[in-house]
Amino acid sequence: MSHTRRPVKEIDQPYENEIQTSDGEPSKKVTKVYSDDSRGQHEESSSCTKQHVAALILARGGSKGIPLKNIKPLAGIPLIRWVLRATIDAELFDSVWVSTDHDEIEREAKDGGAQVHRRSAKVSDDKSTSLETIKEFLEHHPEVDVVCNIQATSPCLHPHHLKDALELITKKGFDSVFSVVRRHHLRWEEVKDGESSCTCPENLDPANRKRRQDWNGELCENGSFYFATKNLIDKGLLQGGNIAYYEMKPEYSVDIDVDIDWPVAEQRVLRFGYFGKDKPKDVKLLLCNVMGCLTDGQMYLSVDKEEMLSFNCRDRAGIHILKREGVEVILMLASEDLIPEALADKLSKRMGCLVLQGVDNKQTEVEKIMEKRGLQWNQVAYLGNDEPDIDCLNLAGLSAVPSDAPVVALYAAKYTCHSSAGHGAVREFAKYILELKMKDNS
C-alpha cells in the first residue's frame, strides 16, 4: 500500500496548559508531529551519541477484565506475540524485555525471543502504574538510556511505527514520544447523578455542527507505545521535556481492554496485523493429517466389523473452498493409523483430494511433494496435530493445529484453531488461509 508522505508540521493549537515536570518547571510545549504518512522524512542530527535503547513490554498476570489476556490467543496467536514479533523484527533495540510476574507469560516471552524481567509483587497489583514498573526495571538495568514501553494489547503494531517514533528521540532529540490516533468524536460534558444542571458541548457548536470532512478531529492517545529517556523517567515522567507524538492510522490503532474488544480485534488483526518478515507467499498447497485434524482421531467398528471414520461436513466444505481458490489439498495417513486402503480411497473421493497413506517421516515426504510441484516452504500450509508434525509446523509458511492438540504441537504452530479436531478445524484454517491471501492481494 502506498503512503502519501507529508512533512513535519506545526501543531494547529498547542496545549493551553504546559506540562509540569517533577521539579515544578514547565516542560517545553509539543511543537512537532510525525505520522504514518511521513515515514522516511526524518533528518538525522549531526551528532548522535550511542545510547542503549530497550524495548519493554509490561505484561502482568493479574488482568481482571480478561484473565491472562496477554497470552490469550488472538487470531490463533498469543496476544503478546503480535507486538513481540513487530518489536524484534524492527531490529532497533539493544535489548527487548517483557516485565511480568507470571510463569506462563515468561515462557511465551522467551519463546518469542525476549528477555524477561521478573517484576516484584510491589509493582504487580491492580494499583501499580506503568511508571512504577518501568522505574523498577531501570533500577535493575542502569545501562538503559531510553525505554520504549510497548503495549502488549496493541496487536496491529508494525516495525515501521516503532522505527519512525524512535528516530524522534535518537535523531531529532525529543525526550518523549507517544502514539496517537485521530478521532472525530463529539464530546459533551458529563452530568453527575443528582445534579440538575444541563450538559454542555465540549468540542462543538450545536448551532454550527461541522461535517466530518470539514473537521480535522482530535488527537487521542491510542496506547500503542510510550518512549522516554531515562533522565525523564527518573524525574517521575513518561511524557515531558521535549515532547513529540506519532500519529498512527485508525486501522492500526487497536487496543484490547475488555471481552467485547476481542472479536473486533481478531478481525482487524487479520487485515492490518504484522505477520513477520518472511510473509508466506501465495499458498499453493495444504497438507493435512486425517487422524487428529480432519477427524477427532477415533475409529468406529460396525456390527459387520466394518471400520468407519467420521468427519465434519464443514471441513469438507473448507477443502472444496480452497480447491476453488486454486489451493491443492493433500490428506495424509501414517502407517500406524491402520486405515484400510478401500476406506482411504472412499475418503479421497468424498473429499475430492489426494489421500496419501504410509506417511511416517513427515518432513521427507512433504519435501518430495514440494519438489515435484516446484514449491517452497513459504508456499505451503500445514495442519498437524502431534510431535511427528513439529518440523513441518515450524517450516511451513502457514501452519496450524486444532485447539485440542498436545502442547508440544501448539508451541510449534503459527496458528491455533478455536475448533477442535474433527469439529471444524480444517474449515477454520481454510478460512484463515484465504483471508491472508486476500490481504496479500490487496
Side-chain angles (χ1 to χ4, degrees):
M1 183 183 294
S2 62
H3 292 78
T4 303
R5 294 181 175 180
R6 64 186 181 209
V8 178
K9 64 181 181 181
E10 298 295 321
I11 293 180
D12 295 332
Q13 293 180 337
Y15 295 131
E16 292 181 4
N17 298 316
E18 294 177 322
I19 300 173
Q20 298 292 319
T21 62
S22 58
D23 57 8
E25 292 298 318
S27 73
K28 298 178 182 178
K29 292 180 180 177
V30 183
T31 56
K32 294 183 179 179
V33 56
Y34 294 78
S35 76
D36 265 337
D37 291 336
S38 60
R39 286 155 57 185
Q41 296 296 303
H42 310 165
E43 298 178 4
E44 293 194 34
S45 63
S46 55
S47 61
C48 184
T49 304
K50 175 61 179 172
Q51 297 174 300
H52 184 111
V53 180
L56 179 62
I57 300 169
L58 307 182
R60 71 185 184 93
S63 172
K64 291 294 188 290
I66 305 174
L68 283 178
K69 69 177 176 182
N70 292 309
I71 55 174
K72 180 179 177 179
L74 178 76
I77 298 171
L79 176 61
I80 196 172
R81 288 289 196 97
W82 287 100
V83 293
L84 256 183
R85 180 161 53 195
T87 302
I88 290 172
D89 282 1
E91 297 181 341
L92 298 169
F93 305 103
D94 298 294
S95 57
V96 176
W97 296 86
V98 170
S99 170
T100 188
D101 59 337
H102 196 276
D103 292 342
E104 280 298 298
I105 297 175
E106 177 176 353
R107 183 193 59 75
E108 282 293 347
K110 289 180 176 178
D111 286 350
Q115 300 180 73
V116 171
H117 169 73
R118 288 295 296 215
R119 63 166 74 179
S120 68
K122 183 175 66 173
V123 294
S124 298
D125 60 30
D126 293 340
K127 296 179 180 179
S128 301
T129 66
S130 296
L131 181 60
E132 290 170 342
T133 310
I134 293 169
K135 291 180 79 171
E136 183 194 72
F137 168 80
L138 285 174
E139 289 173 4
H140 289 83
H141 300 281
E143 74 279 3
V144 174
D145 300 300
V146 178
V147 174
C148 299
N149 177 25
I150 300 166
Q151 304 286 76
T153 52
S154 299
C156 288
L157 190 68
H158 282 242
H160 75 79
H161 297 137
L162 300 172
K163 177 180 182 294
D164 292 348
L166 183 57
E167 286 181 351
L168 297 177
I169 290 179
T170 59
K171 295 183 179 181
K172 303 296 291 186
F174 286 94
D175 301 303
S176 57
V177 179
F178 58 96
S179 56
V180 299
V181 64
R182 192 173 298 275
R183 301 294 189 198
H184 292 77
H185 295 164
L186 302 178
R187 294 182 288 104
W188 290 76
E189 184 181 348
E190 180 182 2
V191 177
K192 304 288 186 181
D193 290 342
E195 293 182 358
S196 58
S197 60
C198 296
T199 186
C200 297
E202 292 190 334
N203 65 345
L204 74 151
D205 177 5
N208 185 27
R209 290 175 65 98
K210 292 182 179 180
R211 300 178 304 167
R212 179 187 176 92
Q213 57 266 40
D214 296 329
W215 179 42
N216 287 334
E218 296 180 325
L219 295 177
C220 307
E221 294 183 19
N222 70 355
S224 287
F225 55 77
Y226 299 84
F227 298 175
T229 63
K230 180 179 183 296
N231 290 336
L232 188 67
I233 295 169
D234 286 342
K235 296 177 182 178
L237 292 168
L238 279 177
Q239 294 161 301
N242 241 351
I243 307 174
Y245 61 78
Y246 179 80
E247 183 179 351
M248 292 173 62
K249 292 183 177 179
E251 54 263 36
Y252 299 116
S253 298
V254 178
D255 186 38
I256 300 172
D257 190 36
V258 293
D259 275 332
I260 198 171
D261 298 330
W262 209 267
V264 176
E266 285 202 317
Q267 292 301 313
R268 189 82 68 85
V269 79
L270 287 171
R271 273 194 81 184
F272 302 110
Y274 173 70
F275 287 85
K277 287 181 179 178
D278 300 322
K279 293 181 181 178
K281 288 188 177 179
D282 192 14
V283 172
K284 301 293 185 184
L285 174 66
L286 168 64
L287 294 138
C288 171
N289 289 338
V290 172
M291 305 300 286
C293 289
L294 180 66
T295 76
D296 60 7
Q298 296 189 78
M299 287 285 295
Y300 301 89
L301 192 64
S302 72
V303 292
D304 297 325
K305 298 184 179 179
E306 288 184 319
E307 293 171 310
M308 296 179 290
L309 290 174
S310 172
F311 61 85
N312 194 300
C313 290
R314 288 181 295 161
D315 291 329
R316 182 175 66 174
I319 290 173
H320 290 172
I321 291 169
L322 286 175
K323 289 176 60 183
R324 190 169 64 235
E325 296 297 324
V327 179
E328 182 183 5
V329 179
I330 296 177
L331 301 176
M332 298 181 295
L333 287 162
S335 299
E336 64 183 18
D337 292 335
L338 301 176
I339 302 295
E341 188 172 344
L343 184 56
D345 290 342
K346 192 170 184 180
L347 179 66
S348 176
K349 291 177 182 177
R350 185 64 65 91
M351 293 297 165
C353 62
L354 179 64
V355 176
L356 295 180
Q357 292 184 276
V359 181
D360 296 323
N361 189 325
K362 298 289 182 69
Q363 183 178 344
T364 300
E365 292 297 325
V366 170
E367 287 177 343
K368 286 179 182 177
I369 295 169
M370 290 164 49
E371 183 179 3
K372 192 173 181 179
R373 288 160 174 76
L375 300 177
Q376 302 296 319
W377 275 108
N378 57 7
Q379 296 173 288
V380 173
Y382 191 95
L383 182 59
N385 67 294
D386 215 328
E387 190 170 348
D389 301 301
I390 288 175
D391 290 337
C392 292
L393 290 168
N394 282 319
L395 290 167
L398 290 176
S399 64
V401 292
S403 62
D404 55 349
V407 172
V408 66
L410 288 170
Y411 290 166
K414 299 176 177 70
Y415 179 87
T416 302
C417 297
H418 295 287
S419 305
S420 59
H423 297 278
V426 176
R427 176 66 180 86
E428 181 182 337
F429 190 40
K431 179 185 177 185
Y432 181 70
I433 292 169
L434 295 179
E435 284 176 337
L436 292 187
K437 282 170 69 73
M438 288 175 60
K439 175 181 177 179
D440 190 53
N441 291 335
S442 64

